[in-house]
Protein backbone atom coordinates (compact mmCIF):
# COMPACT_ATOMS: atom_id res chain seq x y z
CA UNK A 1 0.00 0.00 0.00
CA UNK A 2 1.49 3.39 -0.98
CA UNK A 3 1.53 6.51 1.17
CA UNK A 4 -1.59 8.01 -0.40
CA UNK A 5 -3.60 4.81 0.11
CA UNK A 6 -2.43 4.66 3.72
CA UNK A 7 -3.59 8.22 4.32
CA UNK A 8 -7.02 7.57 2.81
CA UNK A 9 -7.38 4.42 4.86
CA UNK A 10 -6.49 6.33 7.99
CA UNK A 11 -9.05 9.02 7.19
CA UNK A 12 -11.89 6.55 6.67
CA UNK A 13 -10.90 3.79 9.10
CA UNK A 14 -13.17 5.01 11.91
CA UNK A 15 -16.26 5.20 9.69
CA UNK A 16 -18.35 2.12 9.29
CA UNK A 17 -20.58 1.59 6.29
CA UNK A 18 -23.55 2.12 8.62
CA UNK A 19 -22.23 5.54 9.67
CA UNK A 20 -21.72 6.68 6.10
CA UNK A 21 -25.23 5.60 5.16
CA UNK A 22 -26.79 7.09 8.27
CA UNK A 23 -25.24 10.51 7.97
CA UNK A 24 -25.70 10.68 4.21
CA UNK A 25 -23.67 13.89 3.99
CA UNK A 26 -20.87 12.82 1.71
CA UNK A 27 -18.60 15.08 -0.29
CA UNK A 28 -15.93 14.59 -2.85
CA UNK A 29 -13.12 17.08 -3.24
CA UNK A 30 -10.57 17.30 -6.04
CA UNK A 31 -7.11 18.80 -6.06
CA UNK A 32 -7.09 21.83 -8.35
CA UNK A 33 -5.30 21.11 -11.66
CA UNK A 34 -2.53 23.61 -10.91
CA UNK A 35 -1.28 21.41 -8.03
CA UNK A 36 0.30 17.98 -7.61
CA UNK A 37 0.91 15.71 -4.61
CA UNK A 38 4.60 15.34 -3.73
CA UNK A 39 6.96 14.20 -0.99
CA UNK A 40 10.65 14.16 -0.09
CA UNK A 41 12.85 12.60 2.56
CA UNK A 42 11.96 14.09 5.96
CA UNK A 43 9.13 16.04 4.27
CA UNK A 44 6.86 13.36 2.82
CA UNK A 45 3.62 15.34 2.73
CA UNK A 46 3.48 18.24 0.28
CA UNK A 47 1.48 19.85 -2.50
CA UNK A 48 3.39 21.60 -5.25
CA UNK A 49 2.25 24.13 -7.83
CA UNK A 50 2.83 22.66 -11.27
CA UNK A 51 3.63 25.99 -12.97
CA UNK A 52 5.22 28.08 -10.20
CA UNK A 53 7.98 27.48 -7.64
CA UNK A 54 5.57 27.06 -4.75
CA UNK A 55 5.48 24.08 -2.38
CA UNK A 56 3.34 23.71 0.74
CA UNK A 57 4.07 21.09 3.39
CA UNK A 58 1.58 19.32 5.62
CA UNK A 59 1.50 17.63 8.98
CA UNK A 60 0.62 13.95 8.86
CA UNK A 61 -2.84 14.43 10.36
CA UNK A 62 -3.71 17.13 7.80
CA UNK A 63 -2.30 14.99 5.01
CA UNK A 64 -4.74 12.22 5.90
CA UNK A 65 -7.48 14.69 5.02
CA UNK A 66 -5.83 16.36 2.05
CA UNK A 67 -4.83 13.18 0.22
CA UNK A 68 -8.50 12.19 0.06
CA UNK A 69 -9.10 15.06 -2.40
CA UNK A 70 -8.84 12.79 -5.43
CA UNK A 71 -12.37 13.14 -6.74
CA UNK A 72 -13.05 9.48 -5.98
CA UNK A 73 -13.01 9.27 -2.20
CA UNK A 74 -16.27 9.81 -0.33
CA UNK A 75 -15.74 12.05 2.68
CA UNK A 76 -18.38 11.74 5.39
CA UNK A 77 -18.70 15.43 6.25
CA UNK A 78 -20.86 14.99 9.35
CA UNK A 79 -18.38 12.52 10.83
CA UNK A 80 -15.56 15.08 10.67
CA UNK A 81 -14.69 17.24 13.62
CA UNK A 82 -15.27 20.99 13.42
CA UNK A 83 -11.52 21.49 13.04
CA UNK A 84 -11.31 18.99 10.17
CA UNK A 85 -14.19 20.70 8.38
CA UNK A 86 -12.44 24.03 8.80
CA UNK A 87 -9.29 22.57 7.20
CA UNK A 88 -11.21 21.59 4.07
CA UNK A 89 -12.91 24.96 3.93
CA UNK A 90 -9.54 26.70 4.28
CA UNK A 91 -7.99 24.69 1.45
CA UNK A 92 -11.00 25.32 -0.77
CA UNK A 93 -10.95 29.04 0.01
CA UNK A 94 -7.24 29.23 -0.84
CA UNK A 95 -7.58 27.45 -4.15
CA UNK A 96 -5.91 24.14 -3.36
CA UNK A 97 -9.05 22.04 -3.78
CA UNK A 98 -12.57 22.33 -5.18
CA UNK A 99 -15.74 20.27 -5.12
CA UNK A 100 -15.55 17.35 -7.54
CA UNK A 101 -18.22 16.51 -10.09
CA UNK A 102 -19.10 12.88 -10.84
CA UNK A 103 -16.43 11.01 -12.77
CA UNK A 104 -13.60 13.47 -12.03
CA UNK A 105 -10.26 12.23 -10.75
CA UNK A 106 -6.65 13.31 -10.45
CA UNK A 107 -4.66 13.77 -13.62
CA UNK A 108 -1.69 11.37 -13.87
CA UNK A 109 0.80 14.23 -13.34
CA UNK A 110 -1.03 15.23 -10.14
CA UNK A 111 -0.74 11.88 -8.44
CA UNK A 112 1.61 11.40 -5.51
CA UNK A 113 5.33 11.17 -6.28
CA UNK A 114 7.95 10.58 -3.60
CA UNK A 115 11.48 11.81 -4.33
CA UNK A 116 14.26 9.90 -2.53
CA UNK A 117 16.18 13.07 -1.66
CA UNK A 118 16.11 16.06 0.65
CA UNK A 119 13.89 18.89 -0.56
CA UNK A 120 15.22 21.70 -2.73
CA UNK A 121 12.83 24.10 -4.40
CA UNK A 122 15.19 25.66 -6.94
CA UNK A 123 18.71 25.74 -8.34
CA UNK A 124 20.72 28.77 -9.38
CA UNK A 125 22.59 27.10 -12.24
CA UNK A 126 25.64 28.40 -14.09
CA UNK A 127 25.35 26.63 -17.42
CA UNK A 128 28.60 28.19 -18.64
CA UNK A 129 31.64 29.94 -17.24
CA UNK A 130 32.15 31.90 -20.45
CA UNK A 131 31.03 35.44 -21.24
CA UNK A 132 30.89 37.77 -24.24
CA UNK A 133 31.87 40.81 -22.14
CA UNK A 134 35.11 41.74 -20.38
CA UNK A 135 33.82 42.97 -17.05
CA UNK A 136 36.57 44.46 -14.91
CA UNK A 137 34.97 43.31 -11.67
CA UNK A 138 33.88 39.75 -12.57
CA UNK A 139 34.37 37.69 -9.40
CA UNK A 140 34.34 34.38 -11.30
CA UNK A 141 36.71 35.58 -14.07
CA UNK A 142 34.25 34.75 -16.84
CA UNK A 143 36.19 36.86 -19.40
CA UNK A 144 38.89 34.19 -19.08
CA UNK A 145 36.41 31.33 -18.69
CA UNK A 146 38.10 30.31 -15.44
CA UNK A 147 35.18 27.97 -14.64
CA UNK A 148 35.08 26.48 -18.13
CA UNK A 149 31.90 25.28 -19.80
CA UNK A 150 30.15 21.97 -19.17
CA UNK A 151 29.51 19.74 -22.17
CA UNK A 152 26.00 18.85 -23.26
CA UNK A 153 26.43 15.43 -21.66
CA UNK A 154 27.44 17.04 -18.38
CA UNK A 155 24.47 19.40 -18.53
CA UNK A 156 22.19 16.39 -18.99
CA UNK A 157 23.80 14.63 -16.03
CA UNK A 158 23.06 17.68 -13.90
CA UNK A 159 19.53 18.04 -15.25
CA UNK A 160 18.84 14.35 -14.64
CA UNK A 161 19.88 14.89 -11.03
CA UNK A 162 17.58 17.89 -10.63
CA UNK A 163 14.65 15.92 -12.04
CA UNK A 164 15.31 12.85 -9.87
CA UNK A 165 15.36 15.04 -6.75
CA UNK A 166 12.12 16.80 -7.58
CA UNK A 167 13.62 20.24 -8.11
CA UNK A 168 10.90 22.41 -9.58
CA UNK A 169 12.61 25.61 -10.71
CA UNK A 170 15.86 26.72 -12.32
CA UNK A 171 17.50 30.14 -12.59
CA UNK A 172 19.91 30.12 -15.54
CA UNK A 173 23.07 32.14 -15.22
CA UNK A 174 26.70 32.04 -16.32
CA UNK A 175 28.96 33.67 -17.34
CA UNK A 176 26.44 34.76 -19.91
CA UNK A 177 24.02 31.80 -20.24
CA UNK A 178 22.70 32.71 -23.69
CA UNK A 179 26.19 32.44 -25.16
CA UNK A 180 25.82 28.66 -25.37
CA UNK A 181 25.12 27.47 -28.90
CA UNK A 182 22.82 24.80 -27.50
CA UNK A 183 20.92 27.23 -25.26
CA UNK A 184 17.53 26.68 -26.88
CA UNK A 185 18.01 22.92 -26.96
CA UNK A 186 18.65 23.09 -23.21
CA UNK A 187 15.56 25.26 -22.66
CA UNK A 188 13.46 22.75 -24.61
CA UNK A 189 14.84 19.87 -22.54
CA UNK A 190 14.02 21.71 -19.29
CA UNK A 191 10.48 22.38 -20.50
CA UNK A 192 10.05 18.74 -21.56
CA UNK A 193 10.84 17.69 -17.99
CA UNK A 194 8.23 20.15 -16.67
CA UNK A 195 10.79 22.17 -14.76
CA UNK A 196 10.20 25.93 -14.59
CA UNK A 197 12.76 28.50 -15.71
CA UNK A 198 12.09 31.34 -13.30
CA UNK A 199 14.90 33.79 -14.07
CA UNK A 200 17.54 34.42 -16.73
CA UNK A 201 20.62 36.47 -15.85
CA UNK A 202 22.11 38.52 -18.66
CA UNK A 203 24.23 41.48 -19.66
CA UNK A 204 21.58 42.21 -22.31
CA UNK A 205 23.61 41.82 -25.51
CA UNK A 206 21.68 38.75 -26.67
CA UNK A 207 18.24 39.85 -25.45
CA UNK A 208 17.04 40.78 -28.92
CA UNK A 209 13.55 40.76 -30.39
CA UNK A 210 14.37 37.40 -31.95
CA UNK A 211 15.34 36.06 -28.52
CA UNK A 212 12.10 37.27 -26.95
CA UNK A 213 10.17 35.76 -29.88
CA UNK A 214 11.73 32.38 -29.02
CA UNK A 215 10.54 32.70 -25.42
CA UNK A 216 7.03 33.54 -26.57
CA UNK A 217 7.01 30.64 -29.04
CA UNK A 218 7.64 28.33 -26.07
CA UNK A 219 4.93 30.02 -23.98
CA UNK A 220 7.36 30.80 -21.17
CA UNK A 221 7.98 34.15 -19.51
CA UNK A 222 10.93 34.00 -17.13
CA UNK A 223 12.00 37.16 -15.39
CA UNK A 224 15.29 38.61 -16.64
CA UNK A 225 17.86 40.17 -14.35
CA UNK A 226 20.18 42.60 -16.10
CA UNK A 227 23.55 43.83 -14.97
CA UNK A 228 23.81 47.61 -14.99
CA UNK A 229 26.79 49.31 -13.41
CA UNK A 230 25.95 52.98 -13.53
CA UNK A 231 24.93 55.73 -15.94
CA UNK A 232 28.04 56.89 -17.75
CA UNK A 233 30.17 54.10 -16.25
CA UNK A 234 28.62 50.91 -17.58
CA UNK A 235 30.76 50.66 -20.73
CA UNK A 236 33.96 51.10 -18.72
CA UNK A 237 32.89 48.54 -16.10
CA UNK A 238 31.83 46.01 -18.71
CA UNK A 239 34.88 46.46 -20.90
CA UNK A 240 32.76 46.78 -24.06
CA UNK A 241 31.73 49.90 -25.97
CA UNK A 242 27.99 50.68 -26.26
CA UNK A 243 27.21 48.22 -23.44
CA UNK A 244 25.06 50.84 -21.71
CA UNK A 245 22.96 51.49 -24.81
CA UNK A 246 22.65 47.75 -25.39
CA UNK A 247 21.23 46.99 -21.95
CA UNK A 248 18.89 50.01 -22.04
CA UNK A 249 17.55 48.84 -25.41
CA UNK A 250 17.09 45.31 -24.05
CA UNK A 251 15.19 46.63 -21.04
CA UNK A 252 12.91 48.65 -23.32
CA UNK A 253 12.13 45.53 -25.35
CA UNK A 254 11.20 43.65 -22.19
CA UNK A 255 9.12 46.58 -20.95
CA UNK A 256 7.17 46.67 -24.22
CA UNK A 257 6.37 42.95 -23.95
CA UNK A 258 5.57 42.95 -20.26
CA UNK A 259 8.48 40.73 -19.27
CA UNK A 260 9.40 41.26 -15.58
CA UNK A 261 12.91 42.62 -15.06
CA UNK A 262 15.30 43.36 -12.23
CA UNK A 263 18.77 44.88 -12.13
CA UNK A 264 22.04 44.36 -10.31
CA UNK A 265 24.55 47.19 -9.94
CA UNK A 266 28.14 46.86 -8.76
CA UNK A 267 29.52 50.16 -7.51
CA UNK A 268 33.14 51.22 -7.25
CA UNK A 269 35.01 54.44 -6.52
CA UNK A 270 34.44 55.68 -10.07
CA UNK A 271 30.68 54.96 -10.30
CA UNK A 272 29.18 55.53 -6.85
CA UNK A 273 28.16 59.09 -7.74
CA UNK A 274 25.76 57.77 -10.40
CA UNK A 275 23.62 55.83 -7.93
CA UNK A 276 20.57 58.11 -7.92
CA UNK A 277 20.51 58.59 -11.67
CA UNK A 278 21.00 54.86 -12.24
CA UNK A 279 18.15 53.83 -9.93
CA UNK A 280 15.78 56.28 -11.57
CA UNK A 281 16.79 55.17 -15.05
CA UNK A 282 16.16 51.52 -14.20
CA UNK A 283 12.76 52.40 -12.73
CA UNK A 284 11.83 54.34 -15.88
CA UNK A 285 12.59 51.21 -17.91
CA UNK A 286 10.17 49.06 -15.92
CA UNK A 287 12.68 47.43 -13.58
CA UNK A 288 10.80 46.19 -10.51
CA UNK A 289 13.71 45.63 -8.14
CA UNK A 290 17.38 46.50 -7.98
CA UNK A 291 20.24 45.41 -5.78
CA UNK A 292 23.41 47.43 -5.32
CA UNK A 293 26.67 45.97 -4.03
CA UNK A 294 30.27 46.96 -3.56
CA UNK A 295 32.94 45.70 -5.95
CA UNK A 296 34.92 43.05 -4.11
CA UNK A 297 38.56 41.92 -4.21
CA UNK A 298 37.84 38.75 -6.14
CA UNK A 299 38.43 37.47 -9.64
CA UNK A 300 39.37 40.06 -12.24
CA UNK A 301 39.83 42.96 -9.80
CA UNK A 302 41.62 41.02 -7.10
CA UNK A 303 44.85 42.94 -7.56
CA UNK A 304 43.43 46.40 -8.32
CA UNK A 305 42.34 47.71 -4.90
CA UNK A 306 42.41 51.35 -6.03
CA UNK A 307 38.89 50.86 -7.43
CA UNK A 308 37.31 49.56 -4.22
CA UNK A 309 35.26 51.71 -1.91
CA UNK A 310 36.05 51.15 1.74
CA UNK A 311 32.96 49.93 3.56
CA UNK A 312 32.76 53.23 5.43
CA UNK A 313 32.80 55.16 2.14
CA UNK A 314 30.06 52.94 0.75
CA UNK A 315 27.86 53.48 3.79
CA UNK A 316 28.40 57.24 3.67
CA UNK A 317 27.30 57.20 0.04
CA UNK A 318 24.21 55.16 0.97
CA UNK A 319 23.31 57.59 3.74
CA UNK A 320 23.63 60.47 1.29
CA UNK A 321 21.44 58.74 -1.28
CA UNK A 322 18.62 57.28 0.87
CA UNK A 323 16.73 60.59 1.32
CA UNK A 324 16.74 60.99 -2.48
CA UNK A 325 15.20 57.52 -2.83
CA UNK A 326 12.19 58.63 -0.81
CA UNK A 327 12.10 62.07 -2.50
CA UNK A 328 11.93 60.27 -5.85
CA UNK A 329 8.88 58.32 -4.68
CA UNK A 330 10.54 54.97 -3.90
CA UNK A 331 10.75 54.21 -7.62
CA UNK A 332 11.46 50.47 -7.23
CA UNK A 333 12.23 47.84 -4.62
CA UNK A 334 15.83 48.54 -3.63
CA UNK A 335 18.53 46.69 -1.76
CA UNK A 336 21.73 48.53 -0.81
CA UNK A 337 24.03 45.63 0.04
CA UNK A 338 23.14 44.48 3.59
CA UNK A 339 22.62 48.07 4.74
CA UNK A 340 19.12 48.92 3.48
CA UNK A 341 16.24 47.10 1.82
CA UNK A 342 12.90 48.65 0.94
CA UNK A 343 10.15 46.45 -0.49
CA UNK A 344 7.73 48.68 -2.39
CA UNK A 345 5.09 45.94 -2.64
CA UNK A 346 4.89 45.51 1.13
CA UNK A 347 5.93 49.07 1.97
CA UNK A 348 8.45 47.51 4.31
CA UNK A 349 11.93 48.61 5.38
CA UNK A 350 14.47 46.01 6.50
CA UNK A 351 18.22 45.33 6.36
CA UNK A 352 19.86 41.98 5.64
CA UNK A 353 22.50 42.65 8.27
CA UNK A 354 19.79 42.86 10.93
CA UNK A 355 18.65 39.32 11.69
CA UNK A 356 17.32 40.02 15.19
CA UNK A 357 16.97 36.46 16.46
CA UNK A 358 16.06 36.10 20.17
CA UNK A 359 18.82 34.36 22.08
CA UNK A 360 16.51 31.58 23.21
CA UNK A 361 16.07 30.73 19.51
CA UNK A 362 19.79 30.43 18.68
CA UNK A 363 19.57 26.63 18.78
CA UNK A 364 16.81 26.62 16.17
CA UNK A 365 17.65 29.58 13.93
CA UNK A 366 19.63 28.67 10.81
CA UNK A 367 22.84 30.49 10.00
CA UNK A 368 21.52 30.87 6.46
CA UNK A 369 17.84 30.27 5.73
CA UNK A 370 18.46 30.76 2.00
CA UNK A 371 20.20 27.39 1.66
CA UNK A 372 17.19 25.42 2.88
CA UNK A 373 15.20 25.82 -0.34
CA UNK A 374 17.82 26.81 -2.89
CA UNK A 375 21.31 25.85 -3.97
CA UNK A 376 23.89 26.95 -6.52
CA UNK A 377 25.58 24.68 -9.06
CA UNK A 378 28.74 25.96 -10.73
CA UNK A 379 29.86 25.29 -14.32
CA UNK A 380 32.16 22.62 -12.88
CA UNK A 381 29.25 20.92 -11.16
CA UNK A 382 30.16 21.98 -7.63
CA UNK A 383 27.15 22.26 -5.29
CA UNK A 384 27.49 25.43 -3.20
CA UNK A 385 25.19 27.40 -0.92
CA UNK A 386 25.44 30.48 -3.15
CA UNK A 387 27.20 31.82 -6.22
CA UNK A 388 29.32 34.26 -4.25
CA UNK A 389 31.52 31.38 -3.06
CA UNK A 390 32.71 30.58 -6.59
CA UNK A 391 36.40 31.04 -7.24
CA UNK A 392 37.60 31.03 -3.64
CA UNK A 393 39.49 28.25 -1.86
CA UNK A 394 36.31 27.07 -0.16
CA UNK A 395 34.71 26.12 -3.49
CA UNK A 396 36.86 23.01 -3.85
CA UNK A 397 35.69 21.75 -0.48
CA UNK A 398 32.15 21.28 -1.72
CA UNK A 399 30.84 18.10 -3.38
CA UNK A 400 30.45 17.80 -7.14
CA UNK A 401 27.32 16.31 -8.67
CA UNK A 402 29.26 15.10 -11.71
CA UNK A 403 31.18 12.88 -9.31
CA UNK A 404 28.50 12.05 -6.73
CA UNK A 405 24.72 11.59 -7.05
CA UNK A 406 22.85 14.67 -5.90
CA UNK A 407 20.71 12.46 -3.66
CA UNK A 408 23.86 11.53 -1.74
CA UNK A 409 25.09 15.12 -1.60
CA UNK A 410 21.79 16.12 -0.02
CA UNK A 411 21.73 13.20 2.40
CA UNK A 412 25.20 12.60 3.81
CA UNK A 413 27.91 14.21 5.89
CA UNK A 414 29.49 16.96 3.82
CA UNK A 415 30.34 20.64 4.13
CA UNK A 416 27.24 21.41 2.10
CA UNK A 417 24.93 19.57 4.50
CA UNK A 418 26.78 21.06 7.48
CA UNK A 419 25.99 24.50 6.11
CA UNK A 420 22.32 23.64 5.69
CA UNK A 421 22.14 22.49 9.29
CA UNK A 422 24.37 25.02 11.06
CA UNK A 423 22.49 27.02 13.68
CA UNK A 424 23.34 30.35 15.24
CA UNK A 425 24.30 28.43 18.39
CA UNK A 426 27.01 26.61 16.37
CA UNK A 427 28.43 29.96 15.30
CA UNK A 428 28.47 31.27 18.86
CA UNK A 429 30.23 28.16 20.09
CA UNK A 430 32.82 28.53 17.32
CA UNK A 431 33.36 32.24 18.04
CA UNK A 432 33.43 32.68 21.85
CA UNK A 433 34.07 36.43 21.60
CA UNK A 434 30.74 36.84 19.79
CA UNK A 435 28.80 35.30 22.68
CA UNK A 436 29.34 38.41 24.79
CA UNK A 437 28.92 40.98 21.99
CA UNK A 438 26.04 43.38 22.59
CA UNK A 439 24.95 42.94 18.96
CA UNK A 440 24.95 39.12 18.98
CA UNK A 441 21.17 38.76 18.61
CA UNK A 442 20.98 41.40 15.88
CA UNK A 443 23.98 40.17 13.87
CA UNK A 444 23.96 36.37 14.42
CA UNK A 445 27.31 36.11 12.65
CA UNK A 446 26.36 37.81 9.39
CA UNK A 447 26.65 36.40 5.86
CA UNK A 448 28.53 33.14 5.28
CA UNK A 449 29.64 34.09 1.76
CA UNK A 450 31.27 37.29 3.00
CA UNK A 451 32.87 35.40 5.89
CA UNK A 452 34.88 33.30 3.40
CA UNK A 453 35.28 35.90 0.64
CA UNK A 454 38.87 36.79 1.45
CA UNK A 455 40.17 33.23 1.14
CA UNK A 456 39.05 31.66 4.39
CA UNK A 457 37.77 28.10 4.31
CA UNK A 458 36.18 28.45 7.75
CA UNK A 459 32.46 28.58 7.05
CA UNK A 460 31.75 29.62 10.63
CA UNK A 461 34.15 32.58 10.52
CA UNK A 462 32.89 36.04 11.43
CA UNK A 463 31.49 38.33 8.75
CA UNK A 464 33.65 41.46 9.10
CA UNK A 465 31.20 43.63 7.18
CA UNK A 466 28.24 42.81 9.42
CA UNK A 467 30.47 43.27 12.44
CA UNK A 468 31.51 46.74 11.23
CA UNK A 469 27.92 47.69 10.45
CA UNK A 470 26.97 47.33 14.10
CA UNK A 471 30.19 48.15 15.94
CA UNK A 472 31.00 51.05 13.62
CA UNK A 473 27.71 52.72 14.48
CA UNK A 474 26.31 52.54 10.96
CA UNK A 475 23.02 51.01 12.02
CA UNK A 476 22.56 53.84 14.51
CA UNK A 477 23.41 56.45 11.87
CA UNK A 478 20.95 54.92 9.43
CA UNK A 479 18.20 54.73 12.04
CA UNK A 480 18.80 58.38 12.95
CA UNK A 481 18.55 59.33 9.29
CA UNK A 482 15.34 57.36 8.80
CA UNK A 483 13.75 59.08 11.79
CA UNK A 484 14.83 62.49 10.51
CA UNK A 485 13.08 61.91 7.14
CA UNK A 486 9.99 60.39 8.77
CA UNK A 487 10.53 56.79 7.73
CA UNK A 488 10.73 55.23 11.21
Amino acid sequence: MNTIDEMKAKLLASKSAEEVTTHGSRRRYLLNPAYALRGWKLLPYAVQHRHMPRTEFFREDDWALFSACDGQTDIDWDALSDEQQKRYEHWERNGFIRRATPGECLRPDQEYVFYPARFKQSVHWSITGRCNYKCRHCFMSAPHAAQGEPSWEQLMTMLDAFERCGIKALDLTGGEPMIRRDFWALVDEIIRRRIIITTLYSNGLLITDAFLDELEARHIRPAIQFSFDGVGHHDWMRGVSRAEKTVVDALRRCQERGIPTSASMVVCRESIGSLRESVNLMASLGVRSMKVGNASPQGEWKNEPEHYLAQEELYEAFLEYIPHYFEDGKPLTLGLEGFFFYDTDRERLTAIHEKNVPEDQFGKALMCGHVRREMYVSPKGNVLPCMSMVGGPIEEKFPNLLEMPLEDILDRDSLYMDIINFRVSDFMEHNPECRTCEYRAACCGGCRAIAVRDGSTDYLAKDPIACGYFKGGWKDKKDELMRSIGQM
Side-chain angles (χ1 to χ4, degrees):
M1 184 180 291
N2 65 31
T3 303
I4 292 295
D5 292 334
E6 290 171 356
M7 292 295 103
K8 292 176 186 173
K10 182 175 179 180
L11 172 67
L12 301 174
S14 62
K15 305 177 182 64
S16 66
E18 181 180 355
E19 286 177 314
V20 172
T21 303
T22 300
H23 288 95
S25 178
R26 292 184 292 181
R27 296 185 182 186
R28 288 184 178 183
Y29 282 105
L30 182 65
L31 186 65
N32 271 334
Y35 292 96
L37 304 173
R38 299 292 184 258
W40 289 262
K41 280 188 175 182
L42 305 183
L43 294 169
Y45 312 125
V47 60
Q48 188 172 66
H49 201 289
R50 295 170 56 242
H51 313 297
M52 297 170 56
R54 178 186 177 189
T55 305
E56 303 285 339
F57 295 97
F58 290 80
R59 300 191 307 266
E60 185 175 352
D61 54 347
D62 281 345
W63 188 250
L65 301 172
F66 195 86
S67 60
C69 300
D70 60 0
Q72 301 294 300
T73 301
D74 285 322
I75 298 168
D76 184 0
W77 189 255
D78 291 341
L80 299 177
S81 68
D82 289 345
E83 183 58 35
Q84 288 173 328
Q85 290 180 1
K86 288 178 182 178
R87 299 309 295 162
Y88 279 120
E89 290 167 352
H90 170 76
W91 294 327
E92 185 175 12
R93 189 166 55 249
N94 285 276
F96 290 111
I97 60 174
R98 61 175 174 81
R99 299 288 184 93
T101 58
E104 286 190 307
C105 61
L106 291 178
R107 297 161 45 117
D109 58 0
Q110 290 182 280
E111 293 178 355
Y112 183 77
V113 176
F114 178 79
Y115 297 103
R118 298 282 290 273
F119 172 74
K120 288 290 177 185
Q121 179 88 341
S122 64
V123 176
H124 193 64
W125 188 18
S126 280
I127 60 175
T128 181
R130 296 189 303 118
C131 188
N132 48 5
Y133 275 11
K134 301 175 182 178
C135 302
R136 298 173 181 274
H137 57 293
C138 182
F139 65 92
M140 65 186 298
S141 295
H144 297 102
Q147 288 277 319
E149 182 172 272
S151 66
W152 176 260
E153 291 73 21
Q154 289 173 323
L155 286 183
M156 291 303 99
T157 297
M158 297 183 204
L159 193 54
D160 287 344
F162 303 154
E163 185 177 25
R164 287 196 316 271
C165 293
I167 289 165
K168 186 62 179 176
L170 298 174
D171 297 329
L172 301 185
T173 186
E176 174 65 23
M178 278 67 79
I179 202 173
R180 288 192 68 106
R181 293 182 179 180
D182 53 12
F183 176 79
W184 290 115
L186 176 61
V187 168
D188 289 338
E189 186 64 22
I190 292 169
I191 294 171
R192 186 184 70 79
R193 298 172 190 242
R194 296 179 179 170
I195 298 175
I196 303 162
I197 301 173
T198 48
T199 308
L200 299 173
Y201 290 76
S202 179
N203 57 36
L205 181 61
L206 299 177
I207 308 299
T208 61
D209 282 322
F211 178 89
L212 299 178
D213 288 343
E214 292 284 354
L215 290 180
E216 291 183 1
R218 289 164 171 80
H219 306 289
I220 61 174
R221 187 177 287 263
I224 303 179
Q225 179 168 301
F226 291 91
S227 301
F228 184 77
D229 295 327
V231 173
H233 300 276
H234 189 67
D235 288 9
W236 178 76
M237 289 283 277
R238 295 281 149 180
V240 175
S241 63
R242 298 177 62 80
E244 184 171 335
K245 181 181 185 306
T246 296
V247 72
V248 167
D249 288 346
L251 280 161
R252 286 201 176 106
R253 291 187 193 100
C254 292
Q255 186 178 29
E256 290 167 0
R257 300 198 190 205
I259 293 175
T261 57
S262 59
S264 176
M265 179 179 180
V266 174
V267 294
C268 61
R269 189 172 299 281
E270 290 83 357
S271 65
I272 187 62
S274 69
L275 181 54
R276 183 181 188 181
E277 187 178 2
S278 299
V279 170
N280 290 340
L281 174 62
M282 291 296 100
S284 74
L285 294 168
V287 169
R288 298 181 180 182
S289 65
M290 183 173 179
K291 59 183 180 181
V292 179
N294 202 4
S296 61
Q298 294 174 274
E300 297 296 281
W301 260 7
K302 188 172 184 178
N303 299 313
E304 298 184 49
E306 65 272 16
H307 299 295
Y308 313 146
L309 285 163
Q311 207 65 27
E312 295 79 8
E313 294 174 300
L314 181 72
Y315 289 164
E316 287 287 3
F318 286 166
L319 290 173
E320 181 179 344
Y321 166 67
I322 287 170
H324 297 308
Y325 172 73
F326 290 100
E327 289 170 13
D328 296 338
K330 300 169 290 189
L332 44 65
T333 291
L334 181 66
L336 302 176
E337 213 165 69
F339 187 84
F340 170 98
F341 182 82
Y342 194 91
D343 185 332
T344 55
D345 291 331
R346 299 181 181 181
E347 293 290 327
R348 183 184 176 195
L349 174 67
T350 56
I352 294 174
H353 285 326
E354 299 171 33
K355 297 186 177 179
N356 298 319
V357 175
E359 289 189 53
D360 61 1
Q361 296 295 311
F362 280 4
K364 297 180 180 179
L366 296 167
M367 279 302 294
C368 181
H370 169 83
V371 300
R372 275 292 187 184
R373 284 182 171 256
E374 302 174 6
M375 66 183 184
Y376 170 72
V377 176
S378 76
K380 297 178 180 179
N382 291 329
V383 178
L384 286 77
C386 70
M387 190 175 185
S388 300
M389 292 184 180
V390 168
I394 199 169
E395 179 185 359
E396 300 307 319
K397 292 185 172 291
F398 287 98
N400 187 294
L401 65 77
L402 296 176
E403 301 169 358
M404 179 187 302
L406 183 56
E407 299 91 326
D408 292 347
I409 292 174
L410 298 178
D411 196 36
R412 61 176 290 170
D413 293 334
S414 69
L415 178 59
Y416 182 80
M417 287 308 297
D418 285 346
I419 287 170
I420 286 180
N421 294 318
F422 275 140
R423 302 305 202 262
V424 175
S425 56
D426 296 315
F427 174 85
M428 295 300 171
E429 183 177 351
H430 188 72
N431 299 278
E433 65 276 22
C434 293
R435 292 184 220 164
T436 57
C437 177
E438 63 179 303
Y439 302 108
R440 58 190 176 276
C443 173
C444 297
C447 173
R448 300 301 84 214
I450 294 176
V452 300
R453 188 176 68 181
D454 294 331
S456 171
T457 58
D458 179 6
Y459 184 80
L460 286 174
K462 292 187 292 184
D463 170 359
I465 292 179
C467 192
Y469 171 76
F470 291 102
K471 290 186 176 181
W474 294 104
K475 179 188 182 305
D476 295 337
K477 292 177 183 178
K478 183 189 70 178
D479 289 349
E480 183 181 350
L481 171 66
M482 299 307 293
R483 283 190 290 270
S484 72
I485 60 176
Q487 296 299 323
M488 279 190 72

